Amino acid sequence: GPYCGNVMPVPKEIILESNEATIHFESGSHVSGRGFLLSYASSDHPDLITCLERANHYTKAEYSRYCPAGCRDIAGDISGNVGEGYRDTSLLCKSAIHAGVIADELGGQISVTQQKGISRYEGIVANGIFSQDGSLSDKRFIFTSNGCNKSLSLEEGFLSKSQVTASSFWEETNEFGQLFQWSPDKAWLQVPGLAWASNHSSNREWLEIDFGEKKRITGITTTGSGPTMPNFNFYVKTFTMNYKNSNSKWRTYKGILSNEEKVFQGNSNSGDIVRNNFIPPIVARYVRIIPQSWNQRIALKLELMGCRIMQANSSFTHSMWQKPSQSTETSLGKEDRTVTEPISLEETNLGLKLTAIIVPVLIVLCLFLFSGICICAALRKREAKGLSYGLSSAQKSGCWKQIKQPFTRHQSTEFTISYNNEKETPQKLDLVTSDMADYQQPLM
């Protein structure tokens, strides 16, 4: 039915019996422009916003909204970048694509934090969107993320020359007879001077990086021959990405909604820095950048962003109490699988019970050791009056034995524990303890 202005109430939900809907739009005579902007979402995303909404439309310091797909090419300016934040007049969803928080093809959830503005917002080209330089504003907004956007080269302290290789590199001899090598180890963005340049001009050239272990790679920043080399105007316009792990074949990075090779938009000049994000991220040890188009000569300086892969740690109980089993070992069925299988509840409870049993044993041992120290101190007082005992003296006399393995403290209720003494036969002790967070001396 028709939904015209405020003539009739518009329902919050429209129930469809199919996956398609036809919308007929007619502009009124009082409207100066013709057209409309359409966004849609299912009931799973009631916080959907349009591509035209800006950050200054919201007053809350923190909020979360859902962006629709297709906001990259919408008309509207943005100012800033993912590092310093964005001016509050910037379009929210377009800024999120620029920041690499969501993909334009899918849209997605964004979490925003509003902060005090800064004097200047530096623009950068990222994910096919140009961010303009912006002036002073009262407020700015920053996207909260998982934090997996660190410099991988700086994290490793710059990889060795053997870990950065290329299909070829250019050797140049200037008019004074000096030899310059545009070798692959010069490809890092933080290293001033020459970039990597291929000796040939074809789309079969590549630059390869070996991180030594699997990494989660979330983005890449590129530039050309650089502003420090004004005599050269070399840069890569478009490129593709290949990746692999140890003992596997090279894979091509593909688009989200298609099975075709994804072509990334690179630089449009030799000096500016351009960023592209990988959504979803690349999980691999080896990556290759393969230029597809370039200006004059293939030349590239880059930086890869990401983080180390965090795996579940199942060693919260000591190895003497738990033997490795198949269910706790890491099983990687696919190359890109990075999370270990969860530890079963039964084994987790077993580890906690064993740890809880250790705690009362530790208390009893401490009491015996404390009594030994007192006896040892009394004997020393007989030998030399006025000599006070302490931890250092006790260690010298051999009366104090250090417990080498610390244990996690847990609240305990009632346990029946067995322990072995070196000189006595095995005994059985019924110990009832209460909640003792600081482990003060218990009542005997």
Side-chain angles (χ1 to χ4, degrees):
Y3 300 95
C4 303
N6 298 322
V7 176
M8 59 183 299
V10 179
K12 294 182 178 180
E13 286 186 336
I14 299 177
I15 308 300
L16 302 179
E17 296 180 355
S18 66
N19 61 345
E20 293 183 359
T22 301
I23 298 175
H24 179 74
F25 175 79
E26 289 185 8
S27 61
S29 59
H30 62 283
V31 178
S32 60
R34 294 174 180 173
F36 68 97
L37 179 68
L38 171 67
S39 297
Y40 70 93
S42 68
S43 56
D44 296 335
H45 302 291
D47 54 348
L48 173 79
I49 61 176
T50 68
C51 297
L52 292 178
E53 297 195 40
R54 301 176 183 271
N56 56 7
H57 295 165
Y58 299 91
T59 58
K60 291 183 179 180
E62 295 182 6
Y63 55 91
S64 178
R65 294 292 184 270
Y66 192 87
C67 287
C71 292
R72 182 181 61 187
D73 299 325
I74 204 74
D77 298 334
I78 65 171
S79 297
N81 56 71
V82 65
E84 297 294 332
Y86 295 86
R87 202 176 193 272
D88 63 340
T89 57
S90 303
L91 297 175
L92 270 173
C93 295
K94 193 172 183 178
S95 300
I97 299 170
H98 182 273
V101 177
I102 60 173
D104 181 54
E105 296 89 342
L106 295 178
Q109 198 77 28
I110 60 172
S111 297
V112 180
T113 302
Q114 297 230 38
Q115 297 183 4
K116 184 180 179 181
I118 56 178
S119 59
R120 180 176 176 269
Y121 299 88
E122 184 178 357
I124 184 177
V125 178
N127 299 306
I129 299 176
F130 174 68
S131 172
Q132 299 179 349
D133 289 347
S135 58
L136 172 69
S137 69
D138 293 334
K139 293 183 180 180
R140 60 175 168 148
F141 64 94
I142 294 176
F143 295 103
T144 57
S145 62
N146 57 6
C148 188
N149 54 3
K150 298 179 181 178
S151 167
L152 292 178
S153 63
L154 292 179
E155 184 185 42
E156 302 295 336
F158 289 114
L159 303 180
S160 63
K161 293 183 178 181
S162 61
Q163 291 177 275
V164 185
T165 56
S167 54
S168 65
F169 66 91
W170 182 41
E171 291 184 343
E172 174 211 2
T173 303
N174 64 6
E175 55 186 2
F176 302 105
Q178 295 176 314
L179 179 64
F180 294 95
Q181 292 184 336
W182 298 60
S183 52
D185 59 290
K186 297 180 175 66
W188 294 121
L189 195 60
Q190 293 87 353
V191 177
L194 298 175
W196 165 70
S198 64
N199 193 36
H200 309 288
S201 296
S202 72
N203 55 10
R204 292 187 297 271
E205 299 296 311
W206 47 262
L207 178 71
E208 180 181 321
I209 299 169
D210 174 14
F211 290 105
E213 62 179 5
K214 271 188 179 182
K215 298 284 186 179
R216 186 182 298 276
I217 307 163
T218 58
I220 181 174
T221 55
T222 59
T223 187
S225 52
T228 59
M229 309 296 293
N231 297 330
F232 303 98
N233 192 27
F234 307 153
Y235 56 91
V236 174
K237 296 180 180 179
T238 59
F239 61 92
T240 59
M241 295 289 297
N242 285 2
Y243 63 96
K244 74 168 187 172
N245 293 306
S246 302
N247 302 322
S248 66
K249 296 180 180 180
W250 287 102
R251 299 182 183 180
T252 301
Y253 190 83
K254 299 179 181 179
I256 300 176
L257 300 179
S258 66
N259 200 30
E260 298 179 356
E261 185 178 48
K262 183 175 178 62
V263 179
F264 295 92
Q265 297 297 319
N267 297 83
S268 57
N269 55 57
S270 61
D272 290 344
I273 296 176
V274 174
R275 176 170 50 83
N276 282 279
N277 287 89
F278 305 128
I279 305 175
I282 296 174
V283 179
R285 173 180 172 177
Y286 303 89
V287 294
R288 273 187 180 180
I289 297 93
I290 305 174
Q292 299 297 304
S293 61
W294 51 89
N295 185 68
Q296 295 184 4
R297 180 183 288 274
I298 296 174
L300 188 67
K301 292 181 81 70
L302 59 85
E303 177 61 80
L304 288 163
M305 299 166 290
C307 58
R308 300 187 68 179
I309 298 175
M310 302 300 293
Q311 295 186 344
N313 185 11
S314 60
S315 60
F316 62 91
T317 52
H318 198 266
S319 58
M320 66 179 291
W321 298 107
Q322 183 177 0
K323 295 181 180 180
S325 61
Q326 294 179 354
S327 59
T328 57
E329 293 176 351
T330 303
S331 176
L332 297 178
K334 297 181 179 179
E335 288 291 343
D336 295 344
R337 186 174 177 184
T338 60
V339 181
T340 56
E341 293 183 356
I343 302 171
S344 62
L345 182 62
E346 182 180 355
E347 290 180 348
T348 305
N349 293 334
L350 175 61
L352 293 176
K353 288 178 181 178
L354 290 174
T355 307
I357 291 173
I358 292 169
V359 172
V361 176
L362 182 60
I363 296 173
V364 175
L365 290 177
C366 289
L367 292 175
F368 280 119
L369 292 173
F370 182 77
S371 301
I373 292 174
C374 294
I375 296 172
C376 181
L379 293 174
R380 293 181 64 87
K381 281 185 177 180
R382 291 181 180 181
E383 295 175 0
K385 293 184 179 180
L387 179 62
S388 61
Y389 70 93
L391 179 61
S392 59
S393 62
Q395 288 177 339
K396 291 179 182 179
S397 61
C399 296
W400 176 265
K401 294 183 180 180
Q402 183 181 5
I403 299 176
K404 296 181 179 180
Q405 177 62 40
F407 296 99
T408 307
R409 298 182 296 182
H410 289 276
Q411 295 179 358
S412 57
T413 54
E414 182 174 352
F415 300 96
T416 301
I417 59 175
S418 298
Y419 67 97
N420 292 329
N421 202 339
E422 294 179 357
K423 296 181 180 180
E424 299 177 0
T425 58
Q427 299 178 1
K428 202 170 187 179
L429 173 65
D430 291 334
L431 176 65
V432 178
T433 61
S434 60
D435 187 4
M436 296 182 297
D438 296 330
Y439 281 92
Q440 300 173 354
Q441 184 174 351
L443 299 175
M444 296 301 294

